[in-house]
Amino acid sequence: MGAVMQKKGTENIIRLMERSNVTRLVMMSSMGVESMLGNDKPCLEWREEGKFMEFLANTICRREYNDLAGAENSVSRSNLNFVVVRAVGLGEKVSPAGECFVQRKKFDDVVGADVAKTDVGRFLLAEAIEPTIERQAIVLGSRPEYAYKAFDEPHLADVLRSRNVTCFLRSKVKDANSSPATVA
């Protein structure tokens, strides 16, 4: 296996940011991480796949998991204004829906476990430009009503596109209780 570089690379980035007076860091992490920023174990606590992911983190991916947790701890100890995003189920074939949802409270709220990379990328960019979440880690996913669907079931956006139905989807981020979050 190759070298792990999350912690060391993150520490280098933090040093350069602080030297250059750059104060905002938006970091992509992973679901299921326990760090100084909080405990997302077990990840996907509402789904069976979460147990499998925890098994991987505790066995064959332990070194990589510890490296990522170390990166989050380094961010937590920094003086930067940051948000660490733990996206669930980044889908290879998921069409962008123009929205993401934040799991506000572990074990009480759920988010969809199949979110488009484009939607997460837009969220990361929006948080870099106009921060609304400061000095915390969040779990980000798709609509809560998708929380229990199989990964191969299409989202509503995919079904509408396949039927040539045009719709306008909001590009706002919402919490898992469906109330709008304040994001540009």
Side-chain angles (χ1 to χ4, degrees):
M1 287 200 178
V4 288
M5 302 169 53
Q6 290 288 338
K7 182 178 181 222
K8 187 174 181 106
T10 300
E11 289 171 347
N12 288 338
I13 289 168
I14 291 168
R15 262 193 308 280
L16 288 170
M17 289 179 72
E18 289 174 342
R19 242 187 273 157
S20 302
N21 294 318
V22 176
T23 59
R24 180 64 170 171
L25 174 67
V26 178
M27 177 180 159
M28 182 74 175
S29 185
S30 178
M31 60 184 177
V33 174
E34 179 179 3
S35 72
M36 294 166 59
L37 296 175
N39 185 359
D40 188 38
K41 282 185 170 181
C43 66
L44 295 169
E45 65 272 14
W46 61 94
R47 295 180 63 110
E48 289 298 314
E49 293 91 337
K51 294 174 185 172
F52 178 69
M53 295 301 293
E54 187 168 10
F55 167 77
L56 290 176
N58 290 329
T59 58
I60 62 174
C61 296
R62 182 181 304 204
R63 182 176 69 152
E64 291 76 12
Y65 170 84
N66 288 336
D67 188 42
L68 191 54
E72 285 195 15
N73 289 337
S74 296
V75 170
S76 178
R77 287 189 293 268
S78 78
N79 294 318
L80 299 174
N81 174 2
F82 63 84
V83 61
V84 173
V85 176
R86 298 168 173 166
V88 296
L90 286 173
E92 292 294 326
K93 296 179 181 178
V94 179
S95 296
E99 60 187 8
C100 292
F101 291 78
V102 174
Q103 182 185 22
R104 296 291 180 190
K105 188 169 182 191
K106 186 115 181 116
F107 298 106
D108 287 347
D109 299 326
V110 297
V111 291
D114 210 5
V115 63
K117 291 179 180 182
T118 302
D119 291 332
V120 174
R122 286 180 181 149
F123 176 83
L124 296 170
L125 181 59
E127 280 298 313
I129 294 170
E130 293 184 35
T132 63
I133 300 169
E134 299 183 355
R135 296 195 61 80
Q136 60 182 303
I138 62 163
V139 174
L140 193 70
S142 63
R143 289 185 160 274
E145 53 265 31
Y146 300 152
Y148 301 99
K149 78 169 197 66
F151 281 106
D152 59 350
E153 288 180 35
H155 286 193
L156 176 60
D158 297 325
V159 171
L160 292 174
R161 281 186 193 88
S162 71
R163 295 181 181 163
N164 294 321
V165 175
T166 304
C167 63
F168 296 95
L169 298 170
R170 296 177 301 270
S171 60
K172 298 286 183 182
V173 175
K174 301 175 182 178
D175 69 23
N177 293 321
S178 299
S179 59
T182 52
V183 172

